[in-house]
C-alpha cells in the first residue's frame, strides 16, 4: 500500500522585500525552500513507512528546479520521488494544480493501492489551503483537513482515525481509506537527513513525469485550466499617520502626549 | 486594373520590461502557442523574438504587467491608420460562454454553524454580501445547512439577507465534508448563484475547496476586499506572495465566483431586529449508511489560564523583532494589563519562539480589529499589516522612522520601545489613580 506526500517548492516569502521606489518585489537572492507545512506531511509519510511498512512516494508539481525538493525527500527516506513538470502545467491556480496531482496519484494507484495522501494544510506563498481538498474530491477520497494527530490506522478495516484542530475545539474523526489528510505543524517533528542518506540521494533518481505520462486535456491544466487569474498586483496605498512628540529624546513626554490625544479623541477611557 | 493591396494590421513582438517580473510561475510560458518563451533560473521569461508571432497571449497572462508589445516605427505608422476601425470579434463559443455565465444570479453566503450556533463570520459576510447584491441588483441569500437550525433564518434576515435556503436534516447535525459538499453542490446546480461567500475558517476552507473542485469553478481564499467591476464580475483582493503584496483576482469566465473571507476582516453589520425574509425549504436526501466519515468526539478547547483570545480583544499590545528577547515581553504584558488587553506579536516574534503561535497577528496568524492596537518594535511587513490594519486606532512605536508600520499608524512615536512602553504603562496607571 502506498502513502504519498505532496510537496511544493516555494520562495522563502519571509525574506521577500518590496522595493520602495518601484513598488515591485525584490526577489534577488531569495532561496527556494520546501513549504514548511509540507515537511510535516513528508515526515508523517516516512513514519507510516517505518511503522506500517507502507511504500512512500513524494510528489511535486513544479518547474524543473523543483527537483531539489524531491531530492531532499529521497535523502529523508522516501522510496520514490516524482516531479510533475511540463510547460503546459505552468501558471496553474489551485483547481488545475489539483488536477495534475490527482492524475499522478491515480496513475500510481494503477499499479499499487493508495492508502493515504498527505498535504501541508496550506502553502506559505499562496496560503489557500485548497489543493488538498481538490485532490480528495477529484479522487473520491475521504477528506480530513487540519489534522494534528493520527489516533489510529487500521489497515485491515481500512479506516483511519485522526484528531482535527479547529477554532476552539478538536474533533476526533474516523474515515474510510483511501484518505487525503492535510496536516498542521503540531503533528510531528520532521527528521533530518543522515549523511549516508544524503550522499545516496545525490545519485538516486528523481523520476520526472510530463503530460505525456499523465495524458490530461491541455485545457484542464496550467493557466488554461485555471478559472481564476490575477488582474492586478499592487502595494496598498495607505494614509500616513501622525508622529507624536520627540520619542528619541524625550520618550516620557511623547508617551504622555499620546495618552492625552487618545483620551481627548475618546479613543481611550480609563 | 491592379488588385488592391491588403495591408494586415502589424502584430508586433512581445518583450520583457526589466525589473517587473515577479516569477509568478511561468504563466507566459504556459500560454505561448509556439513555445517561444524559455524560463531563466530566476523564473523570468526569455522571449525568442524571432519565433514570436505577436499573439499577445503572454502579455495578457502576465499578472505583473511585466510584458509589453513593441513595434517598429513603420509598423506604428500602419497601426495609426487602422485606429479608426475597431470592434470586438466574438465567436460562437464565446457567445455560448457568455449566456452560460449570465444564467447565474444572486449572492449567497454560507452560514457556518455549530450545534445551531452561527459563527460570527457568517454575518460579517452577509454584511459585505448585502453591498455586492445591491451593486448587482440581485437578492442576497443565506444558505443554512444543519440539524435544528430553523431559527437561523430569522437571524440571517436580521443581518441583511433577503432569503434563506434551508436544509434541515439530522444527517447534517455535525459537519462532515461529504454530506455538506453534496448539499452545497445540489443547491448551486439548482439555483445557480453568481457569487458564493464562505468564512475562511477550518470548516469554511474545508468545504469551499471541495465545492469549487466539484462544480469546477474558481475559488479565492482569504479575501480582504470584495467589489464588483464595470462588467458585473467579482473583484477579489487578497494578500499574495506570503502577504508581501496585494493581488486582485478575477473569475469572470466561470460561475459561481467563490471566495472565502477570514473572521474579523469585514465589519459586523448592524442587526435589524424583526426584519423578515423568505425561507426556501430544500432537501438533499443522503442516507447515513452512505457516509463513511464519523465524528467520534468533539473536545472543546477552553484552554488553561494561558489561553488568550487575541482575535476578540479590545486592546492589543503587540511585539516584533525589536523586542530582542522573550523576557522583554513582560514590558508589553504590563501595559496590556493596565489597558485590560492582551499581548500579541508578529511572525518574527512567534518564529523566534518568544510567543505561542495562537498570539500571532497577520496573514498566517489572526486577523484582529481592536479599539487600540499598539505595535512595538514591529517593522510592518504587509503580511502583518493585513492582519491588523482595520483596528480602530493603531499606535506604532519604533526607532526606525522609515519603518512601514508608520504608514498604517494613526499615531506614531519614533523612539526606543524600552523607554516609551514603560512610560505609557506609568501614564495609564497614573490616570487610573487620578480617577479613583
Amino acid at each position: 500500500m502506498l502513502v504519498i506526500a505532496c510537496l511544493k517548492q516555494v520562495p522563502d516569502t519571509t525574506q521577500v522585500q518590496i522595493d520602495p521606489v518601484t513598488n515591485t518585489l525584490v526577489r534577488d537572492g531569495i532561496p527556494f525552500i520546501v513549504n514548511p507545512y509540507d515537511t510535516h506531511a513528508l515526515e508523517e509519510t516516512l513514519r507510516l513507512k517505518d511503522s506500517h511498512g507502507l511504500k512512500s512516494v513524494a510528489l511535486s508539481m513544479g518547474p524543473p528546479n523543483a527537483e531539489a525538493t524531491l531530492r531532499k525527500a529521497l535523502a529523508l527516506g522516501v522510496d520514490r520521488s516524482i516531479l510533475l513538470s511540463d510547460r503546459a502545467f505552468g501558471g496553474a491556480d489551485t483547481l488545475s494544480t489539483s488536477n495534475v496531482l490527482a492524475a499522478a496519484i491515480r496513475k500510481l494507484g494503477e499499479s499499487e493501492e493508495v492508502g493515504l495522501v498527505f498535504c501541508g494544510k496550506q502553502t506559505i506563498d499562496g496560503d489557500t489551503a485548497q489543493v488538498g481538498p481538490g485532490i480528495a474530491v477529484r479522487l473520491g477520497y475521504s477528506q480530513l483537513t487540519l489534522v494534528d494527530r493520527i489516533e489510529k490506522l487500521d489497515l485491515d478495516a481500512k479506516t483511519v482515525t485522526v484528531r482535527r484542530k479547529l477554532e476552539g475545539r478538536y474533533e476526533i474523526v474516523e474515515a474510510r481509506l483511501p484518505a487525503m489528510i492535510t496536516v498542521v505543524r503540531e503533528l510531528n517533528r520532521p527528521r533530518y537527513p543522515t549523511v549516508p542518506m544524503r550522499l545516496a540521494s545525490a545519485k538516486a533518481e528523481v523520476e520526472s513525469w510530463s503530460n505525456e505520462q499523465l495524458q490530461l486535456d491541455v485545457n484542464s491544466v496550467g493557466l488554461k485550466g485555471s478559472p481564476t487569474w490575477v488582474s492586478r498586483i499592487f502595494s496598498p496605498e495607505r494614509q500616513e499617520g501622525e508622529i507624536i512628540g520627540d520619542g528619541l529624546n524625550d520618550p516620557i513626554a511623547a508617551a504622555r502626549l499620546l495618552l492625552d490625544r487618545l483620551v481627548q479623541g475618546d479613543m481611550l477611557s480609563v | 486594373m491592379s488588385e488592391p493591396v491588403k495591408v494586415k494590421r502589424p502584430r508586433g513582438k512581445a518583450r520583457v520590461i526589466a525589473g517587473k517580473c515577479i516569477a509568478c510561475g511561468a504563466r507566459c510560458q504556459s500560454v505561448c502557442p509556439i513555445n517561444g518563451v524559455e524560463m531563466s533560473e530566476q523564473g523570468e521569461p526569455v522571449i525568442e523574438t524571432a519565433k514570436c508571432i505577436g499573439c499577445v497571449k503572454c502579455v495578457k497572462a502576465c499578472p505583473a504587467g511585466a510584458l509589453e508589445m513593441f513595434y517598429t516605427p513603420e509598423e506604428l505608422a500602419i497601426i495609426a491608420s487602422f485606429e479608426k476601425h475597431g470592434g470586438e470579434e466574438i465567436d460562437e463559443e464565446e457567445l455560448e460562454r457568455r449566456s452560460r455565465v449570465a444564467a447565474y444570479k444572486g449572492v449567497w453566503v454560507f452560514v457556518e454553524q455549530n450545534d445551531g450556533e452561527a459563527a460570527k463570520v457568517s454575518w460579517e459576510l452577509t454584511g459585505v454580501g448585502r453591498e455586492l447584491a445591491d451593486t448587482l441588483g440581485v437578492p442576497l441569500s443565506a444558505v443554512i445547512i444543519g440539524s435544528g437550525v430553523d431559527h437561523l433564518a430569522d437571524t440571517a434576515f436580521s443581518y441583511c439577507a433577503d432569503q434563506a435556503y434551508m436544509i434541515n436534516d439530522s444527517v447534517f447535525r455535525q459537519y462532515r465534508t461529504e454530506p455538506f459538499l453534496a448539499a452545497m453542490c445540489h443547491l448551486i446546480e439548482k439555483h445557480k448563484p453568481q457569487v458564493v461567500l464562505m468564512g475562511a475558517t477550518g470548516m469554511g476552507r474545508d468545504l469551499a475547496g471541495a465545492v469549487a473542485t466539484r462544480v469546477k469553478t474558481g475559488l479565492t481564499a482569504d479575501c480582504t476586499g470584495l467589489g464588483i467591476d464595470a462588467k458585473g464580475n467579482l473583484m477579489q483582493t487578497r494578500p499574495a506572495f506570503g502577504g508581501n503584496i496585494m493581488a486582485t483576482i478575477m473569475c469572470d469566465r466561470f460561475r459561481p465566483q467563490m471566495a472565502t473571507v477570514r473572521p474579523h476582516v469585514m465589519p459586523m453589520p448592524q442587526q435589524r431586529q424583526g426584519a423578515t425574509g423568505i425561507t426556501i425549504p430544500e432537501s438533499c436526501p443522503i442516507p447515513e449508511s452512505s457516509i463513511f466519515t464519523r465524528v467520534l468526539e468533539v473536545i472543546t478547547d477552553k484552554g488553561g489560564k494561558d489561553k488568550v483570545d487575541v482575535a476578540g480583544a479590545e486592546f492589543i499590545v503587540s511585539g516584533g523583532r525589536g523586542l530582542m528577547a522573550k523576557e522583554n515581553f513582560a514590558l508589553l504584558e504590563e501595559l496590556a494589563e493596565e489597558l485590560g488587553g492582551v499581548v500579541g506579536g508578529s511572525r518574527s516574534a512567534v518564529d523566534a519562539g518568544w510567543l505561542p503561535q495562537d498570539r500571532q497577528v497577520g496573514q498566517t496568524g489572526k486577523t484582529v480589529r481592536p479599539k487600540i492596537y499598539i505595535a512595538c518594535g514591529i517593522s510592518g511587513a504587509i503580511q502583518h499589516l493585513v492582519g491588523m490594519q482595520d483596528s480602530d486606532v493603531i499606535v506604532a512605536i519604533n526607532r526606525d522612522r522609515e519603518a512601514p508600520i508608520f504608514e498604517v499608524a494613526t499615531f506614531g512615536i519614533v523612539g526606543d520601545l524600552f523607554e516609551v512602553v514603560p512610560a505609557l504603562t506609568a501614564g495609564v496607571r497614573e490616570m487610573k489613580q487620578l480617577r479613583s
Side-chain angles (χ1 to χ4, degrees), chain A:
Chain A
M1 186 180 274
L2 296 178
V3 54
I4 298 171
C6 297
L7 312 176
K8 186 183 182 190
Q9 179 168 298
V10 297
D12 188 350
T13 52
T14 56
Q15 296 192 36
V16 176
Q17 303 269 319
I18 305 286
D19 184 322
V21 181
T22 59
N23 255 344
T24 50
L25 292 175
V26 181
R27 297 180 299 105
D28 287 342
I30 301 295
F32 284 102
I33 56 171
V34 184
N35 177 44
Y37 298 105
D38 298 351
T39 61
H40 300 269
L42 179 60
E43 174 63 30
E44 206 55 33
T45 301
L46 295 168
R47 288 185 186 199
L48 292 184
K49 175 189 171 175
D50 297 343
S51 62
H52 288 74
L54 302 184
K55 196 166 148 194
S56 59
V57 184
L59 273 185
S60 184
M61 184 186 94
N65 71 12
E67 195 199 318
T69 284
L70 288 162
R71 201 163 289 286
K72 276 181 208 155
L74 284 170
L76 289 168
V78 292
D79 297 307
R80 286 177 79 182
S81 234
I82 305 168
L83 173 66
L84 311 171
S85 194
D86 195 302
R87 277 171 187 270
F89 299 163
D93 74 359
T94 54
L95 189 75
S96 55
T97 300
S98 69
N99 193 21
V100 171
L101 287 166
I105 294 166
R106 203 177 285 124
K107 188 173 167 68
L108 285 166
E110 284 168 11
S111 42
E112 190 164 356
E113 186 185 5
V114 178
L116 297 123
V117 175
F118 286 97
C119 300
K121 73 158 181 163
Q122 65 192 60
T123 59
I124 59 163
D125 60 341
D127 284 320
T128 69
Q130 284 161 207
V131 172
I135 291 170
V137 168
R138 287 176 184 279
L139 296 172
Y141 288 8
S142 299
Q143 172 176 322
L144 298 164
T145 54
L146 304 174
V147 167
D148 79 339
R149 201 194 282 171
I150 308 285
E151 301 279 352
K152 193 173 146 202
L153 175 61
D154 188 334
L155 293 180
D156 298 322
K158 297 224 166 133
T159 58
V160 62
T161 308
V162 302
R163 188 172 82 166
R164 298 182 62 214
K165 187 178 185 237
L166 298 160
E167 293 86 0
R169 69 180 199 279
Y170 294 94
E171 280 181 9
I172 311 290
V173 186
E174 181 195 76
R176 184 177 61 164
L177 297 183
M180 187 291 308
I181 294 176
T182 77
V183 307
V184 299
R185 301 185 82 156
E186 291 83 350
L187 177 69
N188 56 38
R189 187 186 279 268
R191 67 191 68 183
Y192 291 98
T194 61
V195 174
M197 290 290 273
R198 198 179 322 194
L199 291 175
S201 77
K203 287 184 214 129
E205 188 206 2
V206 172
E207 297 165 60
S208 184
W209 290 358
S210 68
N211 201 30
E212 226 167 277
Q213 280 79 21
L214 298 183
Q215 291 291 323
L216 289 161
D217 177 357
V218 290
N219 291 312
S220 72
V221 297
L223 190 67
K224 283 185 190 144
S226 299
T228 62
W229 57 281
V230 182
S231 72
R232 193 163 80 98
I233 282 182
F234 60 100
S235 290
E237 278 175 32
R238 302 179 195 280
Q239 198 141 39
E240 186 83 0
E242 185 190 343
I243 299 293
I244 305 269
D246 181 359
L248 284 173
N249 294 311
D250 195 347
I252 293 172
R256 304 220 153 213
L257 215 51
L258 170 68
L259 289 175
D260 286 347
R261 289 295 299 274
L262 291 174
V263 172
Q264 278 161 22
D266 232 6
M267 295 170 254
L268 178 68
S269 55
V270 289

Side-chain angles (χ1 to χ4, degrees), chain B residues 199-234:
Chain B
T201 56
M203 184 198 296
R205 284 175 148 214
D206 188 276
L207 180 60
V211 171
T213 307
R214 170 101 21 114
V215 302
K216 299 232 175 334
T217 191
L219 169 61
T220 306
D222 295 358
C223 297
T224 55
L226 293 169
I228 303 291
D229 74 0
K231 289 182 178 162
N233 293 308
L234 185 66

Side-chain angles (χ1 to χ4, degrees), chain B residues 13 30 70 93 112 122 124 138 278 309 339 361:
Chain B
K13 306 271 188 188
S30 164
F70 72 100
E93 205 179 312
E112 173 175 339
S122 308
E124 293 164 12
V138 298
I278 304 158
D309 177 22
L339 291 168
V361 173

Side-chain angles (χ1 to χ4, degrees), chain B residues 185-196:
Chain B
C185 292
H186 164 73
L187 291 177
I188 288 173
E189 274 151 31
K190 184 170 172 192
H191 297 287
K192 301 192 188 317
Q194 67 204 118
V195 171
V196 176

Side-chain angles (χ1 to χ4, degrees), chain A residues 227 229, chain B residues 97 101 229 233-234 250-255 257:
Chain A
W229 57 281
Chain B
R97 187 194 64 76
V101 161
D229 74 0
N233 293 308
L234 185 66
M250 305 297 293
C251 175
D252 51 349
R253 300 171 61 80
F254 292 78
R255 289 294 183 273
Q257 305 162 94

Side-chain angles (χ1 to χ4, degrees), chain B residues 73 141 171 190 201 209 223 246-248 259-260 298 302 317 348 389 398:
Chain B
S141 307
V171 80
K190 184 170 172 192
T201 56
C223 297
M246 304 300 289
T248 301
T260 64
V298 177
K302 286 272 184 276
V317 183
S348 318
Q389 62 193 0
N398 205 300

